[in-house]
Amino acid sequence: MIIRYMFDNFCSFNEECEFFLEAPGGKVKKRFPDNYTVTQTGYDLLKTAVIVGENAGGKSNFINGLKYLKSLFDTNSKVQSVNAYINADALVKEKEPKQRFDIAFLANNHVIYEYEVVIDTKGIYSEKLAKSSQRKKAEHIIFEITRDLKEKYIMQAGKAKEIVAVLKNSNNSNGLFVSKLALLGNEDAVATVEWMLNSLYPGNIPSDQVDNIVKQEADIEIIKDSRYVEIFRMVDYSICGIEIDEEKPYSKTLVVRKNAQGEIFKRELSQDSTGVREFFAWAVQIFRVVYENKVVFADEMDRVLNPILSDRVIAYINGMNHKGQFVFSTHNVLHLNLKTYMKEQIYFITKNKDSLTSELYSLADFPEVRYENTKIYEFYMKGILGGTAFE
């Protein structure tokens, strides 16, 4: 589960961007007992969050930053910044702009890890992995390295023999140091790489156009599960089953419906409504959150879903006992209220019209918004909360 995620200098984001999924303390937690998961590490972590913003405000860039970080773990090729992803202002003003990504998470081995990497167009500038067992305990640095002026990597902290060997033989020609350590069997590096590759799903909607047969087989196994159909039925309760096409599950699968008279109707998914087709795919990711404890970021999942269905999905995820997380972006504030969400679960992204840079912040930053005042829509439309194209 993600505890916090910070990054800077990615696309429209220039200053440091911070995103937290730790539940608040005090009376608020008692009001929303289903909205967070209690962990044995002392962290109580939010199950869901929503990111609101105008068109072209930076919502997709936020999720794409996570997707880019994850991509660095996918291969062992050289890591370096891509100009297309560097903030335009930084690219003009800085001689060698750097991008920083920092993520703290609770891994599958119940250890808290913080991983940070800073990269530029030359490659990795610095990299760090630290761990702790409890929320308030000091971190133990597994390794921390920095590139010097001679293009050599210097050990700042960490004494593991594998790390020394990696540094000695590294010429920055291939991937992340943490990935190299994982290949050498370092258990903390293995846990980090495994979580990044197999637990984090940033903005990935399943489809028939997959380039990995293993991923498609995993999707099909989920769709075959009877619990998946219960999720999918949220889009239309006349649906009573599905008949899976294993070659093209997201287009050729048959959706089975039953009317009030008990008559059965079947329709190919590709011929069904846009909302049904898209939710069929997103239901796979919701399944992963609830039954496989994955962390899913859905970019504008609700563009074809009405507020009632969005509320139904969030209520379902919050109401289940799991260690997954679901974060989605939206333009729609009509369904946002402080009866369903904690203030800490609602984030806004707004873009400065002069600098064209995006900013992310939480509703919790606005003390004037009280739980007794649930009309978030009115605050938003007046421009008080930002995130609107006409602020």
Side-chain angles (χ1 to χ4, degrees), residues 29 76 92 116 146 200 203 215 218 272 279 314 370 378:
K29 288 175 69 176
N76 213 27
V92 171
E116 178 189 82
T146 303
L200 183 62
K215 290 181 180 179
D272 217 310
F279 193 72
I314 295 302
R370 301 180 180 275
E378 291 184 5

Side-chain angles (χ1 to χ4, degrees), residues 217-225 228 283-284 287-288 292:
E217 288 176 350
D219 289 356
I220 290 172
E221 287 304 307
I222 289 174
I223 297 170
K224 287 180 177 178
D225 194 304
Y228 166 81
V284 172
F287 183 100
R288 286 193 165 105
E292 297 181 349

Side-chain angles (χ1 to χ4, degrees), residues 19 48-52 59 63 282 296-303 310-311 313-314 317 326-332 335-336 341 345 347:
F19 180 73
T48 58
V50 57
I51 300 171
V52 184
K59 299 187 303 299
I63 294 176
W282 280 120
V296 171
F297 284 74
D299 191 11
E300 297 184 12
M301 184 196 74
D302 67 335
R303 66 184 179 272
S310 295
D311 277 353
V313 168
I314 295 302
I317 295 172
F326 185 75
V327 180
F328 73 99
S329 65
T330 181
H331 300 111
N332 192 344
H335 64 293
L336 298 184
Y341 297 91
Q345 289 176 279
Y347 277 82

Side-chain angles (χ1 to χ4, degrees), residues 3 41 43 105-106 110-113 130-135:
I3 299 168
T41 63
Y43 279 107
F105 59 93
L106 179 59
H110 307 293
V111 174
I112 301 163
Y113 290 102
K131 70 176 181 178
S132 60
S133 59
Q134 289 291 318
R135 180 176 180 271

